[in-house]
Amino acid sequence: MRLGAQSLQSEEGVSFSPRATHTYACASCGRETTMVFAAEAEAPETWECRYCGQEATLLVDDKPVEVDRAEAKAPRSHWDMLLERRTEAELEELLQGRLNYLRSRRGQEQNA
């Protein structure tokens, strides 16, 4: 027997958790993707189509569910997050302070 090629454990006495099968329909290629989830897990509304890679929609009673995209947030940039903490006037003041410091330091280094 090859090492690691086959498990020596049997499945006797093992009870698997309940499972639910959900089907997703792809609007792009028209094919269906079937996925198995734990019975208590909530199935996502969309899944990647295994054939074309596009977004497939969950089928409930052979009808696609309506995906609510209103909750999707626009990605925030670093600038947006910075403006949440400081005003542009404060940022301008900080910039001028740093520039003055760098200019004074540069002047001292050139004279030394």
Side-chain angles (χ1 to χ4, degrees):
M1 177 178 218
R2 291 177 289 167
L3 183 63
Q6 186 176 3
S7 173
L8 298 176
Q9 290 183 331
S10 69
E11 293 182 2
E12 286 182 33
V14 175
S15 59
F16 295 105
S17 63
R19 298 177 182 160
T21 303
H22 297 284
T23 305
Y24 293 85
C26 179
S28 188
C29 69
R31 292 178 156 174
E32 292 184 351
T33 300
T34 304
M35 299 300 300
V36 178
F37 296 98
E40 64 271 1
E42 184 178 332
E45 294 177 338
T46 59
W47 196 265
E48 183 179 318
C49 176
R50 69 172 53 172
Y51 302 102
C52 69
Q54 297 298 316
E55 191 174 82
T57 308
L58 177 65
L59 294 177
V60 175
D61 298 327
D62 294 327
K63 296 179 185 173
V65 297
E66 191 169 317
V67 179
D68 182 22
R69 302 210 186 274
E71 294 178 16
K73 294 181 182 178
R76 297 183 323 179
S77 67
H78 292 291
W79 179 250
D80 295 332
M81 290 184 270
L82 185 62
L83 287 177
E84 289 175 5
R85 297 189 308 266
R86 302 195 188 261
T87 65
E88 286 192 45
E90 290 174 324
L91 292 172
E92 186 66 33
E93 184 180 328
L94 287 170
L95 175 63
Q96 286 305 316
R98 284 307 287 174
L99 287 174
N100 290 339
Y101 169 74
L102 291 172
R103 287 177 184 144
S104 68
R105 204 174 88 182
R106 185 181 300 155
Q108 290 173 358
E109 288 177 2
Q110 288 177 352
N111 294 336

